[in-house]
Amino acid sequence: MMLSQLFLPVLAVAAVSPIVDVDYAKYLGTARAGGVTDWLGIRYAAPPIGELRFAAPQDPLPEEGIQMADQHGLICLSTPGDPNSTTTSEDCLFLDVYAPSAANTSSKLPVYFFIQGGGFATNSNPNYNGTGLIEASDMNIVVVNFNYRVGSFGFLASQEVATQASLNNGLKDQRKAMQWVQKYIRRFGGDPDHVVVGGDSAGGASITYHLTAHGGRDDGLFHAVASESQTFATLFTAEQSQWEYDNLVIRAGCTGASDTLACLRSLTTAEFQVVNIQTAYPGAQYAALYMYGPTLDGDLIPDYTYHLFEQGKFIRVPSIFGDVTNEGTIFVYNTTNTIGDSDSFIQAQFPSITLEQLATINSMYPVTNDSFPATPTAGKYWRQGSNAYGEIRYICPGIYISGALVQAGVTESWNYHYDVEDPEQVAEGLGVPHTVEINAIWGPQYVSGQAPVSYFTTNAGVVPVMQGYWTSFIRTFNPNTYRYSGSAEWGTWAKQGYQRVLIQGNGTAMETVQADQQARCAYLSSIGLQLRQ
């Protein structure tokens, strides 16, 4: 009897070296001793190379024989990036699936579909292991994570790209992976009618784009969302982005080509990466942290994010949004020593900001170092700039969305404030930095980066708390149903209450957003459209 005959239909018997048929290929996963089976490096789209560079994702190509799904696919190329990198590739559209080994095609387990962050410039959370979340769910969920195109490969914009290729391909990759889940996740034991989309940073921003995609059109791709450190960045149209394309063409030596896009496509990956750098937005002092990103295309992204939420043009689903205490510290240069340094940083990220708006922001965020130790080389205005940037881009958008959801009738809307301090990060002046909570959600041993040491020691107790909230939400669309014993009941965001859960190293409790933060966010949201957010 052939090996494939032993394991078809999928997972009908004990999951030992399970083979899953996804029509275009058969993938052989690995059953782990702890009761979780993983399939690594599954193609969900055709390689976006050659003529498919800058094109919308296409269906995966048929593959003969059984494919070994025991290694992660290479992650997508970054901007900027190393031309000689061995860990990245243009051929990068792969996903991983983790499922309880006892699951079968009738299990209909809730699915957690995770969108990694990286500022739309890099895949910064690749290859997270879903085992910890599955174990925390009492073996009752399926986890999917994946790569998507970023930087110029995913978000190059111009008239040439709009007419001859495709805009917003990184987001389209994400939707292609969601469509894959709808078509195939049942074969891994998952329920395509119960998909929770999670994401951090740019992944959290992606969630807002999918909620508002096509003006809030519901394509049935997901049924709840859990967004960590959502971000409202500057949005440009293809016409407003022409400068970035023209500069790339110049650097690539393609100015004399009759078809400049074809010339860019003809470059080898290494040749492209040599000229794939970031430059300043027009009018800015220096390059933004992340030059390429989603584009106002009048279709997938029909308007600014603030405007779409204000108008109620979003899918109404149970939602979690939230942030850490010090969202800005890892971004603002710690050498920021003057108000001019601080203003230049803010302007580099939001080039349409006015002098009057900067002056108002400066008055709202006076220089201070209280409870924010600085390293010997840190500048006097590092905290001021960090506080301002953290609220402009992350915290206030999350507060705004939570309010917009409730105003639109979404009663199942939760918000969190994560304030778990790691001693080393506090000593470095970082406070509780951007997306640090991801270590507690996945489990510090299951992330691909280096988790803070305290998450294995003094802060280890926050891991079951966060995993309890998250897996409960994944399973029931409510973070309280299976929350960890002793953790606070997480109340919903009230129309007049600004209520969120406070998560600290010594426990959890509900809190009201402080009045001064409410006031700052009210102002920052009021200028959001002018900042093109």
Side-chain angles (χ1 to χ4, degrees):
M1 182 178 293
M2 295 178 62
L3 182 62
S4 60
Q5 291 175 308
L6 280 172
F7 298 104
L8 294 177
V10 179
L11 294 177
V13 295
V16 179
S17 300
I19 294 173
V20 177
D21 187 344
V22 291
D23 297 335
Y24 58 89
K26 295 182 178 69
Y27 285 97
L28 173 61
T30 304
R32 307 293 176 179
V36 173
T37 298
D38 56 59
W39 295 263
L40 310 178
I42 295 175
R43 290 188 181 274
Y44 70 87
I49 58 178
E51 290 300 307
L52 294 184
R53 181 182 284 175
F54 311 128
Q58 305 297 306
D59 290 339
L61 303 174
E63 297 184 90
E64 295 294 329
I66 295 175
Q67 310 299 310
M68 298 298 296
D70 58 355
Q71 294 186 23
H72 301 291
L74 293 174
I75 64 175
C76 296
L77 296 166
S78 300
T79 299
D82 178 3
N84 301 310
S85 172
T86 59
T87 60
T88 59
S89 173
E90 199 167 355
D91 180 8
C92 63
L93 300 185
F94 299 95
L95 57 76
D96 299 336
V97 178
Y98 296 83
S101 297
N104 58 52
T105 54
S106 301
S107 295
K108 298 185 70 174
L109 297 177
V111 178
Y112 184 54
F113 178 91
F114 179 71
I115 307 175
Q116 59 181 304
F120 296 113
T122 186
N123 290 165
S124 67
N125 314 113
N127 308 329
Y128 278 16
N129 189 325
T131 299
L133 281 168
I134 292 174
E135 291 175 345
S137 74
D138 296 324
M139 313 303 278
N140 276 300
I141 65 173
V142 171
V143 176
V144 179
N145 52 31
F146 67 105
N147 301 326
Y148 59 94
R149 283 174 287 176
V150 290
S152 57
F153 294 95
F155 295 100
L156 184 65
S158 71
Q159 291 301 309
E160 293 86 349
V161 175
T163 57
Q164 302 175 52
S166 173
L167 300 170
N168 290 316
N169 291 318
L171 292 176
K172 291 175 181 177
D173 290 346
Q174 296 174 9
R175 294 180 79 82
K176 188 73 169 177
M178 292 181 195
Q179 291 162 0
W180 186 96
V181 166
Q182 287 299 305
K183 190 170 185 178
Y184 297 117
I185 203 62
R186 186 176 283 110
R187 304 185 189 189
F188 297 82
D191 183 357
D193 296 321
H194 189 125
V195 177
V196 176
V197 175
D200 72 310
S201 194
S206 298
I207 287 173
T208 67
Y209 291 127
H210 294 304
L211 285 172
T212 58
H214 307 291
R217 186 182 78 199
D218 191 351
D219 292 339
L221 298 176
F222 55 90
H223 311 94
V225 298
S227 177
E228 309 160 50
S229 300
Q230 63 295 304
T231 166
F232 282 14
T234 298
L235 287 171
F236 297 104
T237 64
E239 183 179 9
Q240 291 167 337
S241 301
Q242 188 67 42
W243 62 272
E244 70 184 32
Y245 178 89
D246 292 347
N247 287 348
L248 180 60
V249 167
I250 292 170
R251 293 195 301 272
C254 291
T255 53
S258 58
D259 185 336
T260 56
L261 188 64
C263 183
L264 291 178
R265 282 172 162 162
S266 72
L267 299 178
T268 67
T269 299
E271 290 170 339
F272 193 97
Q273 285 297 77
V274 168
V275 299
N276 186 22
I277 63 174
Q278 298 195 133
T279 57
Y281 292 138
Q285 304 288 330
Y286 49 77
L289 293 170
Y290 308 110
M291 169 183 166
Y292 295 103
T295 301
L296 277 170
D297 61 5
D299 181 22
L300 183 62
I301 304 180
D303 203 343
Y304 296 112
T305 313
Y306 265 121
H307 204 199
L308 290 168
F309 275 99
E310 178 188 18
Q311 294 179 329
K313 294 181 178 179
F314 54 84
I315 302 171
R316 286 145 175 77
V317 292
S319 303
I320 289 174
F321 285 90
D323 293 271
V324 302
T325 301
N326 304 110
E327 286 285 357
T329 51
I330 68 168
F331 299 108
V332 177
Y333 307 122
N334 68 358
T335 54
T336 301
N337 199 45
T338 68
I339 195 64
D341 293 340
S342 177
D343 286 349
S344 294
F345 177 88
I346 298 296
Q347 186 213 30
Q349 322 310 319
F350 302 100
S352 61
I353 197 167
T354 67
L355 298 181
E356 180 183 4
Q357 290 164 350
L358 281 172
T360 301
I361 289 170
N362 292 340
S363 69
M364 289 168 24
Y365 299 92
V367 60
T368 176
N369 283 311
D370 57 300
S371 70
F372 193 79
T375 62
T377 59
K380 180 181 178 182
Y381 278 80
W382 181 27
R383 179 183 178 93
Q384 186 270 354
S386 298
N387 288 348
Y389 182 67
E391 291 193 336
I392 294 169
R393 185 154 184 169
Y394 299 99
I395 297 174
C396 295
I399 288 173
Y400 183 87
I401 292 173
S402 291
L405 292 172
V406 173
Q407 288 297 117
V410 180
T411 57
E412 296 169 301
S413 173
W414 292 269
N415 192 288
Y416 71 89
H417 170 198
Y418 190 83
D419 190 42
V420 178
E421 294 184 339
D422 170 72
E424 292 184 7
Q425 291 178 331
V426 170
E428 292 171 5
L430 297 173
V432 183
H434 183 64
T435 72
V436 70
E437 76 273 37
I438 204 167
N439 299 288
I441 291 171
W442 288 81
Q445 69 271 46
Y446 293 116
V447 299
S448 54
Q450 182 62 51
V453 173
S454 68
Y455 281 75
F456 296 96
T457 57
T458 55
N459 282 327
V462 77
V463 176
V465 171
M466 290 297 281
Q467 290 190 329
Y469 283 138
W470 245 252
T471 57
S472 178
F473 185 75
I474 294 166
R475 294 170 68 182
T476 69
F477 304 150
N478 187 318
N480 295 300
T481 311
Y482 297 107
R483 73 179 186 274
Y484 186 67
S485 177
S487 57
E489 181 173 355
W490 188 348
T492 56
W493 186 268
K495 286 185 178 180
Q496 302 297 329
Y498 283 85
Q499 296 294 299
R500 62 188 179 187
V501 70
L502 172 65
I503 301 159
Q504 295 181 306
N506 61 354
T508 55
M510 290 299 296
E511 70 169 8
T512 301
V513 178
Q514 292 182 344
D516 58 344
Q517 187 171 68
Q518 290 186 39
R520 292 192 301 271
C521 286
Y523 173 74
L524 294 174
S525 295
S526 75
I527 66 171
L529 292 179
Q530 293 170 278
L531 300 188
R532 298 176 176 170
Q533 291 177 287

